[in-house]
Amino acid sequence: MATELMGFEITAISAWLVWILPFAAAMIMPGIGKLSQNATKYVAVGFALMSAVSAATMVPVALEAHELHDQIMWIEAIGLKAGVLADPLSIIMANVVAWISFLIMIYSTGYMKGDKDITRFWFWMMFFIGSMQLIVLSDNLLQVFFGWEGVGLASYALISFWYRDKKKDHVGTEGRTVLGMLDYYAPTHAGMKAFIMTKVGDVMMIAGMLLIFLFAGTFGFKELMGDTDWATAMAAQGLLVPAFVLLFGGAMGKSAQFPLNEWLLEAMTGPTAVSALIHAATMVKAGVFLVARIGPLVFALGAAGILADQFFEIVAWVGAITALLLATQGMVNPEIKKVLAYSTGSQIGYMMMALGVAGLSHQYVDGYTAGFFHLISHAMFKASLFMAAGSLLHIVGSRFMTDMGGLRKHMKKTYAFMWAAGLGLMGAPFITTGFWSKDAIFAAVYESGNEWALPLFIIAVLTAIITAFYTTRMIGLVFFGKKSKHIEKMEEEGHHIHEASVSMWVPYGILAVLTIGIGIIGLSAEEGLHHTFEYYLKNSFGIYSSHAAAEESSILPEFLQGLNPVALGASLVAFATGIGLGYIFYIGRWVDPVKFVNSNIFFYAIHKLFLNRWYLNAIVYWCFVTTPLWLARGVSRYFEKTAIDYGMNDGVQKAASWGAKVIQGTQTGVSQSYLFVFGAGLLFVVLILLM
């Protein structure tokens, strides 16, 4: 008994330390920087490692499908407690965030070497990690919101990190316009754009939180599940689904889901280490985690007769639309980091689709496991791809893939690791984590039995084809073909292309190897995760569900038994089609993509539509920036200056002056005149009274 109690206390301390340690590092970072800027990297990496180790100590709790809930008094006047909730969901997520963040911090020691603002960089990076872990391990919505806003603040600071707005730090093509809007953004502009657009979702989120609190009287996840009378009362007034949809609005903003997705692309103005952190381990995954946190609660309420299916339908369709929309844009963009950013938004859409479909199926665990498994696999290969892209930018000095080419002979390690991670993104069959997680999503959608199953399945497969295509395109443009004129000019000037430093390639090499290594045992990993979540959801939410193995799966080999043949076939076809088309255009170079696009008005129009981001970004600027500014200027020019300044201010002054002159003119100083006016006035009053 004493041993169990001691184990509980140790695990509870670990849960607190996971998010406290990064914050502590951030707080001491300015002081360390004053003493020695070189020492700041050791402090940052050391505290990131301690946070990761603390997260790792909680893994046994997750493997046993148990949970740990520890609270302390926060605001005594209203009885509000702060706490940590370490269950399988949060423990797995905390480890993903912690260990990938640790590798990114190591990468940053090489990538950011020599930057004069390095102390500020480490401060915000640790603050970012701490805020994300606070979201993950909090036991109540209010505490989550504090971490939520911390992540938003840190993202603004890091996206705008190079605030001097030098041309090399911009994103987009200089001078390029779409519908009259400049498609070329400075870091400060990009940071502000991210801050404002995510705040739209944040306002929705806090509105949903307060609406639930109004009925439930608590923000706690355990308390909300313990007594569901609040949900019954909200459902009776038609407020339950709107409240959850408002919470999902916060997830849409942070995870860059349609229609709040346009900030994600400009976020590439930050250092590549920041891009890797945002897109792989933190910020954009926060929304997915929030849906994974509240989704079982919503589903459990449905099982109790309090239906909220519309919530899951919205989640599924928002995810599906985002997945396809951003994938199409990744096919044509020339900037390597922006292609990866499009890919991130698209893959997050996959996760949202799976979590949404889960709630529309009797096999909730299947979709839930698929979505979260894809979150884990995506975190690994996408962090690897971003860090590898950063090495390319670091060496080549350009963000455009057209300025690269033929690099596989000069950067062999980066070439191999990008292939490994890229295959994970493409879903290469049987050897990558991405294949198993995507296949699980396909199966969950196909087997859901929902009326939207078929169109969602088609979108998922089409997105997978496009993903394989643009990933192959990226690798082909960077590593195959002839050297670009940019590289030739660099070599003429004495700048020879070489491999990135050890501190840079080792982190993304580790993640690339894990993508393949875990992929080889991917089916077992998925089954283990499914088993863990099955027990977790049953014990915590009363959700009884099991893996639905398709009857026709007997046609598959023994080692693939349990997989859905339709989903498996779709995965294989999607991969083969996408990589095949990519090879034809960008590796084999059998067809010139420029000539192909220009050969037909239809292809040209489609290419322009995708390149111009479906004109959605330009429309956002026209509706919410340009038009309001014009209206404001019009109000300033024609109302404020004319009606207020000239009309009211000058007009009142002139009227008062004229009135004073008139009255002054009546002051003659002659008694007869005063008596005459008095008499006339008296007569006028008498006549009025007599009428």
Side-chain angles (χ1 to χ4, degrees):
M1 186 70 174
T3 305
E4 292 180 0
L5 184 61
M6 185 179 295
F8 176 87
E9 290 177 351
I10 293 173
T11 308
I13 292 171
S14 296
W16 287 99
L17 288 176
V18 168
W19 64 268
I20 289 176
L21 283 169
F23 279 129
M27 294 303 105
I28 67 173
M29 199 63 69
I32 300 295
K34 289 288 185 180
L35 298 174
S36 171
Q37 283 199 339
N38 191 51
T40 54
K41 65 182 180 183
Y42 299 109
V43 174
V45 173
F47 272 81
L49 177 60
M50 287 190 289
S51 177
V53 171
S54 298
T57 61
M58 299 187 294
V59 170
V61 177
L63 294 176
E64 296 173 3
H66 293 162
E67 67 178 34
L68 182 149
H69 188 205
D70 190 41
Q71 292 182 315
I72 60 172
M73 185 57 66
W74 184 9
I75 306 175
E76 192 170 359
I78 58 175
L80 187 63
K81 295 181 178 180
V84 290
L85 179 59
D87 53 19
L89 174 67
S90 60
I91 292 172
I92 296 171
M93 186 70 183
N95 275 275
V96 170
V97 173
W99 287 106
I100 290 180
S101 297
F102 169 64
L103 290 173
I104 292 172
M105 299 303 271
I106 294 175
Y107 172 85
S108 300
T109 60
Y111 187 84
M112 298 298 294
K113 187 177 181 181
D115 195 291
K116 64 180 181 179
D117 295 319
I118 191 65
T119 302
R120 177 163 57 89
F121 174 81
W122 292 124
F123 170 85
W124 283 114
M125 288 288 277
M126 298 308 298
F127 189 90
F128 207 154
I129 297 169
S131 298
M132 184 64 193
Q133 295 289 31
L134 179 59
I135 293 173
V136 171
L137 289 163
S138 293
D139 75 332
N140 64 85
L141 280 168
L142 184 61
Q143 203 172 307
V144 166
F145 192 74
F146 274 85
W148 202 265
E149 292 304 293
V151 165
L153 179 61
S155 68
Y156 166 72
L158 289 169
I159 293 169
S160 311
F161 182 78
W162 287 316
Y163 62 89
R164 295 172 182 86
D165 289 347
K166 296 179 180 179
K167 285 187 177 182
K168 66 180 182 66
D169 300 321
H170 284 52
V171 294
T173 303
E174 187 174 4
R176 186 174 182 275
T177 60
V178 179
L179 297 181
M181 297 290 102
L182 191 65
D183 194 28
Y184 182 66
Y185 304 99
T188 53
H189 182 103
M192 184 58 68
K193 182 178 181 178
F195 188 79
I196 292 173
M197 290 198 74
T198 56
K199 284 295 164 287
V200 174
D202 294 356
V203 171
M204 295 172 66
M205 181 179 175
I206 197 169
M209 287 169 47
L210 294 176
L211 193 58
I212 291 173
F213 181 80
L214 185 64
F215 283 85
T218 179
F219 292 107
F221 296 122
K222 300 295 291 183
E223 291 80 2
L224 289 172
M225 190 60 209
D227 183 4
T228 59
D229 290 343
W230 61 272
T232 305
M234 291 185 72
Q237 299 188 34
L239 295 174
L240 185 63
V241 172
F244 284 123
V245 171
L246 285 170
L247 285 178
F248 178 60
M252 289 166 57
K254 282 291 188 287
S255 290
Q257 297 296 283
F258 179 83
L260 300 177
N261 60 285
E262 291 300 332
W263 68 266
L264 191 66
L265 295 312
E266 280 70 64
M268 298 302 100
T269 57
T272 301
V274 173
S275 303
L277 194 63
I278 289 177
H279 289 256
T282 58
M283 191 160 174
V284 296
K285 298 292 172 60
V288 180
F289 177 81
L290 180 64
V291 175
R293 175 60 81 196
I294 65 174
L297 171 62
V298 182
F299 188 81
L301 292 175
I306 310 170
L307 297 177
D309 286 353
Q310 298 93 330
F311 167 77
F312 291 111
E313 289 179 355
I314 292 171
V315 173
W317 274 109
V318 166
I321 292 169
T322 307
L324 183 60
L325 184 72
L326 296 190
T328 57
Q329 297 174 54
M331 295 170 63
V332 298
N333 201 276
E335 298 178 59
I336 187 169
K337 286 176 64 177
K338 288 186 81 171
V339 170
L340 293 174
Y342 284 118
S343 172
T344 294
S346 178
Q347 298 302 302
I348 295 290
Y350 261 128
M351 302 168 205
M352 291 294 190
M353 188 196 315
L355 293 175
V357 165
L360 302 174
S361 168
H362 294 295
Q363 301 294 338
Y364 183 81
V365 182
D366 289 357
Y368 192 84
T369 302
F372 203 78
F373 186 31
H374 197 57
L375 182 152
I376 298 170
S377 63
H378 177 265
M380 289 189 294
F381 60 67
K382 186 53 60 71
S384 181
L385 285 169
F386 261 112
M387 286 189 281
S391 293
L392 292 168
L393 269 66
H394 201 70
I395 302 300
V396 177
S398 174
R399 62 183 180 273
F400 293 98
M401 293 183 289
T402 49
D403 288 335
M404 302 177 190
L407 295 180
R408 67 184 188 277
K409 296 179 181 178
H410 303 279
M411 302 180 71
K412 295 180 180 180
K413 294 184 181 69
T414 300
Y415 170 66
F417 294 142
M418 282 200 76
W419 257 122
L423 287 172
L425 176 57
M426 289 186 276
F430 310 121
I431 61 169
T432 62
T433 57
F435 169 76
W436 299 109
S437 58
K438 283 187 180 180
D439 181 78
I441 292 174
F442 287 179
V445 174
Y446 184 78
E447 296 173 353
S448 66
N450 185 265
E451 60 180 324
W452 302 114
L454 183 59
L456 288 172
F457 183 76
I458 293 172
I459 291 174
V461 175
L462 182 58
T463 302
I465 294 172
I466 296 172
T467 302
F469 173 80
Y470 68 63
T471 306
T472 309
R473 169 181 177 264
M474 176 182 67
I475 293 173
L477 286 173
V478 172
F479 294 106
F480 290 85
K482 298 180 181 178
K483 293 180 181 179
S484 67
K485 293 181 179 179
H486 175 78
I487 292 178
E488 290 177 349
K489 185 179 179 181
M490 287 181 62
E491 291 180 335
E492 289 174 2
E493 295 173 351
H495 301 288
H496 296 288
I497 305 299
H498 56 85
E499 189 60 79
S501 63
V502 175
S503 64
M504 292 175 68
W505 68 258
V506 167
Y508 59 79
I510 290 173
L511 291 172
V513 171
L514 285 174
T515 298
I516 302 297
I518 298 177
I520 294 173
I521 59 167
L523 186 58
S524 299
E526 182 195 346
E527 290 175 348
L529 190 65
H530 186 280
H531 182 76
T532 299
F533 281 142
E534 185 177 359
Y535 277 92
Y536 160 64
L537 293 171
K538 182 177 69 175
N539 295 332
S540 298
F541 300 94
I543 299 174
Y544 293 86
S545 184
S546 60
H547 187 66
E551 294 180 1
E552 60 268 38
S553 63
S554 59
I555 66 175
L556 298 175
E558 186 176 349
F559 77 98
L560 295 177
Q561 291 296 314
L563 296 181
N564 184 287
V566 176
L568 179 60
S571 297
L572 298 175
V573 170
F575 173 76
T577 304
I579 196 171
L581 291 172
Y583 186 91
I584 290 171
F585 284 99
Y586 296 100
I587 295 181
R589 310 287 173 113
W590 300 343
V591 179
D592 187 339
V594 177
K595 291 181 179 179
F596 179 80
V597 169
N598 293 328
S599 66
N600 186 289
I601 186 66
F602 176 75
F603 294 148
Y604 177 81
I606 292 294
H607 180 272
K608 191 172 183 180
L609 176 67
F610 294 166
L611 188 61
N612 291 336
R613 303 162 65 165
W614 290 73
Y615 298 98
L616 294 175
N617 187 61
I619 291 171
V620 167
Y621 272 90
W622 272 110
C623 293
F624 300 104
V625 180
T626 303
T627 302
L629 283 175
W630 281 357
L631 290 173
R633 292 187 183 115
V635 169
S636 174
R637 181 178 297 176
Y638 299 109
F639 178 76
E640 184 179 355
K641 291 184 179 179
T642 304
I644 304 297
D645 292 345
Y646 298 139
M648 294 184 64
N649 295 342
D650 291 349
V652 169
Q653 181 186 355
K654 290 178 179 178
S657 178
W658 179 82
K661 289 179 179 179
V662 171
I663 294 173
Q664 186 180 6
T666 63
Q667 305 302 308
T668 61
V670 180
S671 305
Q672 293 89 335
S673 300
Y674 297 152
L675 289 171
F676 176 77
V677 172
F678 177 78
L682 185 61
L683 180 62
F684 179 76
V685 171
V686 171
L687 290 173
I688 292 293
L689 293 174
L690 291 175
M691 288 178 67

